[in-house]
Amino acid sequence: MSLYTDYLTEIATRKEQGLHPKPIDDGALVGELISQIKDSGNEHRDESLNFFIYNTLPGTTSAAGVKAAFLKEIILGDAVVAEITPTFAFELLSHMKGGPSIDVLLDLALGDNADIAKQAAEVLKTQVYLYEADTERLKTAYEAGNAIAKELLESYVQAEFFTKLPDIDEEIKVVTYIAAEGDISTDLLSPGNQAHSRADRELHGKCMISEEAQKEIEALKVKHPEARVMLIAEKGTMGVGSSRMSGVNNVALWTGKQASPYVPFVNYAPIIAGTNGISPIFLTTVGVTGGIGVDLKNWVKKVDEDGKPILNNDGNPILEQKYSVETGTVLTINTKDKKLYSADGSDELVDMAGSFSPQKMEFMKAGGSYAIVFGKKLQTFAAETLGVEAPLVFAQSKEISHEGQGLTAVEKIFNANARGATPGKTLHAGSDVRVAVNIVGSQDTTGLMTMQELEAMAATVVSPSVDGAYQSGCHTASVWDLKAQANTPRLMKFMNDFGLVTGRDPKGSYHAMTDVIHKVLNDITVSDWDVIIGGDSHTRMSKGVAFGADSGTVALALATGESSMPIPESVKVTFKGKMADHMDFRDVVHATQAQMLQQHGDNVFQGRVIEVHIGTLLADQAFTFTDWTAEMKAKASVCISDDDTLIGSLELAKSRIQIMIDKGMEHDNGMLASLIAKADARIAEIKSGEKPALRPDDNAKYFAEVVVDLDLINEPMIADPDVNNIDVSKRYTHDTIRPISYYKAEKKVDLGFVGSCMVHKGDIKIVAQMLRNLENANGSVEFKAPLVVTAPTYNIIDELKAEGDWEVLQKYSGFEFDDAAPKTAARTEYENILYLERPGCNLCMGNQEKAAKGDTVLATSTRLFQGRVVADAPEKKGESLLGSTPVVVLSAILGRTPTIEEYKTAVEGIDLTKFAPPVQKPAGTRSAHF
């Protein structure tokens, strides 16, 4: 059969699912379409023409290359298609963004036919996705005296590709739709268990919220054709938990605008709102698509005569409604006044200045942030080539500098890596910065979207300024099903060809690694001054500063080696007291959240950098803290380490990178070897005193400071989703931290899970040590609930085998993963045994393994969202409680939460993850400045 008949078969299958034909990315299939278009008598000609025009993906897909070449034939008169005139062919090229289409347009613009060259130039003036090869052609032609090249450069220096775009509407009518009450996780918008379909935008769109919600949104659009639907998190924050582009894509699909009539299911400009605004990472993604994020502030704390919040019986502030946004309410956004008004504009409801900064308004005008990033680069190139000064077209980056004020750690990192800032000017929090990116990570459930974004922006190779880039296979590691078999090898090949080190070798030379991406990025980050961008909200390294990002921002970082964002404010976290011997560091992490709320009332971490003075804790263990900062709703975290500790962490990173090289994972570009060399250089700087470990200045300014008292932590702590809280907004928030005694040893536990990015080698050793202890005390170990154990990386398993711990785990396991025969279906039932699972995210993702509906799960993971690890049953809500490794193991053995006495007995003599506050630095010690 031909590719076309295969495509028709696929179309028939999709039609049964209520889906349209899948957009075409295969050049060979487009070749068949063209053959049928040229054959005037072909029965499939009209259909093929429609697919060619309206259903072929742009950018650097092979389909785009074949399409652009045929359009060139039409323009030159070498092919004649009645329905595609040369003028229409130019219009189609203008919607193809870059790559082959730019090649064709440059061929025509710099060619001998003056009339065609003029038309091609007019299209090129609207394009921004030009890369070095394209701009070099223009420069060469200009220097050779080509008039069209000069005309193009003059247009680019004036940024006509931006200035000639229509301005955003002064008034935007919106109609509200409340998606849910309380914090809304992106799991509601793009469920983890549907991760396999994210690259198929129409199919994935069907999983947003619910089918009923989708019908309600469509009904609102019909009833209010003049308004755009605004999706709302009532009494909560929108988009917590993950940064996923797929969540914004889905909202845009149902409520946004179509980006191009010739590209299906790619929408932009969604309008998203929350009583407490939008989570920082999700808001960045909204900006990528040129959307609007609204901080509604429609519920406020009720206060007494003294201005103090009035509390309810649970000790929580009582909220009162300032104005209503119930579903179906029509409101008006005024982009000039930057305010939200009632429908007729008579009542001012909330100030929206934060939603309409000059930079955000540029994103809205351009249809997204990429066009601005590439447009600025193109303007700079044109000015340099012409030898002129570029006029001020784009909004000036906000540069905030306070004379005499020191720098926080993140301010130092941003100043050191800033691009395009005023030379010699010290920038403080709030400044807009283009910042160089050193390390980039792409994970597998969003990787296919990153791949699409790279193709769409016509990128072909990782930026030479990126030190390290990695593509993981951890989010889909549990089950090697048909979806994984179809998607993963294709993703790995694309990324490896692009220049990334990949968990799976496209050539099949090395064993496939499903190591958790955050752990790998933590290892390949080899400087405390690095900036890291990763396609997951838990991109939180214990060296440098890391930001979880959407797949598009990851693509932009890979292609350009930079990212743009304001310098965030910081909250300083320090420790005092002594950690009790029976406590685990995970309990310190939970206590930080609890004590912060006690000290400040509100979550001062939200949207800010947590600067944690970790001192003597090595990178592996410190990662437990930084990883959790995503659940604290922080934008990022920075660890302040002692010199010796940092050197130890860098030596550990070097050894892990060397293991990757030894296993055959080195890329042809020598990326891993260069990281080891960079680590050596950084170690030499620290040892010589030339540049000690990163520290903030003593006179740095913080938004707030939190002091964690270790003496107050005397029993294990659990993060409880509080699923039955009468206040819906208090459920699934990570803010309910309870001591183990709260449960009175009566809380039934149906499943235990030790795994995800929150654990390190020491955690798996704790499991083995507890089994030894219990065996010595009782003769054997019997589980009253299943216990799933998933090491984060293969390296850890290798080390556990060498040290004798894996043998203990094997003894008690009823299942051990086998890479030679991976599972092809998700487990649906569990026995009361120990399961040794393949390295990866496992239960924490919710896309493959899952607990039984209605179960109470006690896990070391990060996710307590509704439906992620465990779904609700009709008679009982599923619960995902989060605790330390020893608590999880003991609870699985007992089938319930333990008493504090049972816990202390079980961990006696076990080497738990210890922590001590850093000693005060000697007087006169100076930190290294950028």
Side-chain angles (χ1 to χ4, degrees), residues 400-642:
I400 298 173
S401 185
H402 303 293
E403 189 174 349
Q405 180 178 307
L407 298 174
T408 64
V410 75
E411 286 171 339
K412 287 190 174 187
I413 294 172
F414 269 65
N415 275 276
N417 291 283
R419 289 181 175 176
T422 302
K425 191 171 186 178
T426 299
L427 303 178
H428 287 94
S431 300
D432 294 316
V433 177
R434 281 172 51 217
V435 62
V437 175
N438 307 97
I439 305 292
V440 186
S442 170
Q443 51 100 332
D444 38 324
T445 56
T446 59
L448 290 167
M449 292 193 301
T450 298
M451 182 174 129
Q452 288 179 338
E453 298 289 342
L454 288 167
E455 289 176 329
M457 64 178 70
T460 57
V461 65
V462 66
S463 169
S465 64
V466 171
D467 294 321
Y470 181 74
Q471 171 64 57
S472 82
C474 58
H475 282 62
T476 55
S478 303
V479 180
W480 187 239
D481 57 13
L482 293 176
K483 294 164 187 171
Q485 292 170 40
N487 290 329
T488 304
R490 181 165 64 97
L491 171 64
M492 294 293 172
K493 183 181 187 311
F494 178 93
M495 290 300 191
N496 200 265
D497 289 346
F498 198 84
L500 280 73
V501 174
T502 51
R504 181 178 289 271
D505 184 8
K507 304 180 187 68
S509 298
Y510 59 81
H511 181 276
M513 302 294 167
T514 54
D515 298 342
V516 174
I517 182 172
H518 325 301
K519 292 296 189 183
V520 178
L521 294 185
N522 202 39
D523 287 337
I524 69 173
T525 300
V526 290
S527 173
D528 45 335
W529 293 83
D530 277 356
V531 176
I532 305 100
I533 296 288
D536 190 285
S537 61
H538 289 97
T539 304
R540 310 276 170 143
M541 304 303 102
S542 52
K543 302 181 290 289
V545 64
F547 299 94
D550 58 88
S551 56
T553 301
V554 170
L556 199 63
L558 286 170
T560 66
E562 63 180 61
S563 187
S564 298
M565 66 184 90
I567 301 177
E569 293 178 305
S570 294
V571 176
K572 184 178 182 180
V573 174
T574 55
F575 303 88
K576 68 177 182 179
K578 184 179 184 298
M579 186 174 169
D581 290 339
H582 63 280
M583 301 309 299
D584 187 77
F585 183 62
R586 176 68 181 257
D587 299 310
V588 174
V589 175
H590 286 313
T592 300
Q593 179 90 335
Q595 292 190 25
M596 174 273 294
L597 291 170
Q598 290 166 1
Q599 291 172 29
H600 294 278
D602 290 323
N603 185 357
V604 295
F605 292 149
Q606 183 166 342
R608 301 183 177 92
V609 171
I610 298 177
E611 182 184 285
V612 55
H613 289 244
I614 216 77
T616 58
L617 211 57
L618 285 171
D620 272 17
Q621 291 86 351
F623 186 77
T624 303
F625 190 100
T626 59
D627 199 30
W628 182 256
T629 61
E631 311 315 328
M632 296 176 186
K633 300 181 187 176
K635 189 172 181 66
S637 60
V638 178
C639 284
I640 306 302
S641 294
D642 296 343

Side-chain angles (χ1 to χ4, degrees), residues 213-233:
Q214 294 161 18
K215 289 177 180 176
E216 290 169 351
I217 290 170
E218 288 299 292
L220 284 173
K221 287 158 71 173
V222 171
K223 186 176 180 180
H224 302 278
E226 80 293 349
R228 291 161 63 185
V229 176
M230 179 167 73
L231 207 69
I232 294 173

Side-chain angles (χ1 to χ4, degrees), residues 865-897:
F865 306 139
Q866 187 174 21
R868 171 57 83 94
V869 173
V870 56
D872 295 340
E875 67 283 358
K876 180 183 177 296
K877 290 181 178 292
E879 298 176 276
S880 177
L881 288 80
L882 310 178
S884 68
T885 293
V887 168
V888 172
V889 174
L890 185 56
S891 298
I893 291 169
L894 296 173
R896 59 169 171 77
T897 52

